[in-house]
Amino acid sequence: MNATAATSTDQLPVLIIGAGPAGLAAAAHLAERGLEPLVLEAGPAAGAAVRAWSHVRLFSTWGEVTDPAAEKLLAPTGWVKPDAKTYPTGGDWAGDYLQPLADALGDKVRLGATVTGVSRAGRDRTVDADRETQPFVVHVTYTDGREERIFARAVIDASGTWSTPSPAGASGLSALGEKAAADRVSYRVPDLKDLAVRARYAGKRTAVIGSGASAFTALAALADLAREEAGTKAVWILRRGISGSTFGGGTADQLPARGALGLAAKTAVDEGHAEAVTGFRTDAIERDGDGRLVLVAEDGRRLDPVDEVVVLTGFRPDLTFLDELRLGLDERLQAPTALAPLIDPNQHSCGTVYPHGVKELSHPEAGVYLVGMKSYGRAPTFLALTGYEQVRSVVAAIAGDHEAAERVELVLPETGVCGGSGLFDQPQVDEAEAGGGCCAPTPTLIQLGTTTPASSCG
């Protein structure tokens, strides 16, 4: 790189896509190092995706969902960190932390700004010549229809996966008829405190497709509704059978709120508020003569009609606007190739976290990084603390501090590594009954600073 190009590129901002927890933390780390961040958020407010599940309580406590650099940036504003031992809802997290952080960053955060493309200036993905000397060029469309082209020295994509939920079809494609049934199909955990939403499910038969944290949350919520509204019933659709690990670690989970969630889902089944249908791979969604929905499996099984379907089969990254960049992504998870083996749910059933930072997040295209939920691709085992460590390492690398970039500064509960949300209204969990992790008899902390992995819960 010639001196002129280096100087001009270094004077450009680091562009961050997404004003969620990871994106705003990245901006705080950049500001701390004297670098210029520019955060582009497609939604109308900071933490727009988090606000969309504001009714759901996190597994993690306040002490685990704030970033140290962000706290330093917030301190002069008079911000006071909530009780570190309590569990925030998505609404709490967005309103009491993400919004104040965005306010502290001021005009470095732009709202209603959708990134439609990222490339190298004057170079599509096929061109090698002088590629790394060119700045990134980012195309943006604003809600008022304006378009803008922004040049950047580096790009951090923290846009998450919320906008692209996976479909009901077991093949990874939409089930036949799924799109036509859109008026009765939802891809989010319903907020049953909302009267309009409550009316949609009260006294109705609802199919819940999925086997993870979000499905547990929905089952627990529908069971609560069933106790108040006669005729409310959930049909839990699982692609696999029920085993000892189906409901998670229970009282042996080091994240007590996560364990309580699995137990609540089990209670919903045990009490008859939810009927489990196992080994069912959805192939089609049909309407009967009354307009209700009939789920059909690949093996031809047909379920009794339901009124609503809640599809909670995970999320996947939107990579369309990154198509002109040279990304190195795992063919299964769509996560960075060096990170994918460490988070592969086929290998790590409880979501074991390994030390990782800029080394695992780098791509053939130097200077572009996928962080936060986006970095995990289709893997569901993400935690906010992991994202904060990712952005600390990435920002250090951008700043040229390679020693700090390669150093891992993360301590996690041994089994406290699975992502997702928690219960609606049960913030108080009896930690005395929580016991140890699923891998150890008592809770322990591990220092993730070597290449030795934590013991697997698989």
Side-chain angles (χ1 to χ4, degrees):
M1 180 183 293
N2 63 59
T4 301
T7 300
S8 59
T9 301
D10 288 349
Q11 291 175 346
L12 295 173
V14 175
L15 191 135
I16 301 166
I17 306 172
L24 292 176
H29 280 273
L30 287 163
E32 185 176 47
R33 287 183 172 272
L35 301 179
E36 182 71 15
L38 177 58
V39 184
L40 301 180
E41 166 58 49
V50 175
R51 293 174 193 271
W53 48 272
S54 60
H55 55 295
V56 180
R57 196 170 297 281
L58 279 71
F59 295 145
S60 302
T61 64
W62 268 115
E64 299 165 331
V65 297
T66 59
D67 175 81
E71 291 185 21
K72 291 179 184 177
L73 184 64
L74 284 165
T77 70
W79 178 81
V80 177
K81 184 175 180 177
D83 184 345
K85 294 183 179 179
T86 61
Y87 295 85
T89 63
D92 296 334
W93 200 16
D96 298 342
Y97 170 66
L98 299 178
Q99 188 59 56
L101 182 53
D103 292 342
L105 289 163
D107 61 6
K108 295 178 176 60
V109 178
R110 297 185 189 178
L111 304 175
T114 299
V115 173
T116 58
V118 183
S119 186
R120 289 282 190 178
R123 308 288 189 276
D124 66 25
R125 66 182 297 161
T126 68
V127 178
D128 292 335
D130 297 324
R131 185 175 188 85
E132 292 193 6
T133 67
Q134 304 305 312
F136 290 96
V137 58
V138 181
H139 285 206
V140 187
T141 299
Y142 295 92
T143 50
D144 61 6
R146 289 182 300 117
E147 293 182 321
E148 185 179 11
R149 182 176 59 200
I150 301 172
F151 294 98
R153 63 180 292 180
V155 174
I156 299 175
D157 182 357
S159 59
T161 57
W162 179 256
S163 64
T164 47
S166 295
S171 62
L173 305 175
S174 296
L176 295 179
E178 182 173 345
K179 294 178 182 177
D183 60 318
R184 294 199 173 199
V185 178
S186 171
Y187 300 86
R188 314 296 189 208
V189 175
D191 180 2
L192 298 181
K193 286 186 176 180
D194 182 306
L195 294 181
V197 175
R198 183 184 179 91
R200 180 173 173 175
Y201 297 95
K204 305 291 179 62
R205 182 176 169 88
T206 299
V208 177
I209 304 176
S211 58
S214 295
F216 288 172
T217 305
L219 291 169
L222 288 169
D224 286 342
L225 182 61
R227 296 180 184 104
E228 301 174 6
E229 298 283 351
T232 304
K233 180 80 172 184
V235 182
W236 185 21
I237 312 299
L238 296 106
R239 294 173 182 169
R240 57 188 182 223
I242 292 181
S243 67
S245 62
T246 297
F247 298 99
T251 57
D253 197 317
Q254 275 189 243
L255 286 180
R258 186 182 65 196
L261 177 58
L263 293 176
K266 185 177 186 300
T267 298
V269 174
D270 291 344
E271 293 182 352
H273 300 304
E275 169 192 347
V277 179
T278 60
F280 193 96
R281 296 181 175 275
T282 306
D283 183 62
I285 299 177
E286 301 175 355
R287 287 188 188 267
D288 68 5
D290 297 324
R292 301 175 80 198
L293 302 182
V294 176
L295 273 61
V296 183
E298 291 178 344
D299 61 8
R301 277 187 293 166
R302 302 172 66 87
L303 300 184
D304 291 338
V306 297
D307 301 286
E308 300 285 341
V309 176
V310 178
V311 181
L312 300 170
T313 53
F315 296 86
R316 54 187 60 178
D318 177 8
L319 301 168
T320 56
F321 59 88
L322 303 175
D323 194 49
E324 290 302 321
L325 297 175
R326 298 175 177 180
L327 302 180
L329 298 174
D330 178 73
E331 67 274 9
R332 290 175 300 170
L333 298 184
Q334 295 177 297
T337 48
L339 176 61
L342 312 184
I343 60 173
D344 186 350
N346 293 297
Q347 302 296 324
H348 310 293
S349 64
C350 199
T352 305
V353 169
Y354 294 72
H356 69 277
V358 69
K359 179 181 178 182
E360 291 79 10
L361 298 172
S362 295
H363 294 273
E365 190 83 67
V368 60
Y369 304 96
L370 277 58
V371 301
M373 284 291 296
K374 186 72 170 274
S375 72
Y376 271 46
R378 299 191 183 202
T381 52
F382 180 77
L383 264 192
L385 279 176
T386 306
Y388 296 151
E389 172 62 11
Q390 288 179 340
V391 299
R392 183 207 61 78
S393 176
V394 164
V395 168
I398 293 172
D401 187 350
H402 300 294
E403 188 279 329
E406 294 174 6
R407 184 177 65 244
V408 177
E409 301 175 358
L410 179 62
V411 177
L412 287 173
E414 186 172 86
T415 60
V417 294
C418 295
S421 51
L423 293 171
F424 281 70
D425 291 306
Q426 297 185 26
Q428 302 301 323
V429 180
D430 188 351
E431 297 193 25
E433 297 180 0
C438 63
C439 309
T442 56
T444 59
L445 288 179
I446 56 170
Q447 175 67 50
L448 297 182
T450 71
T451 57
T452 304
S455 53
S456 172
C457 300

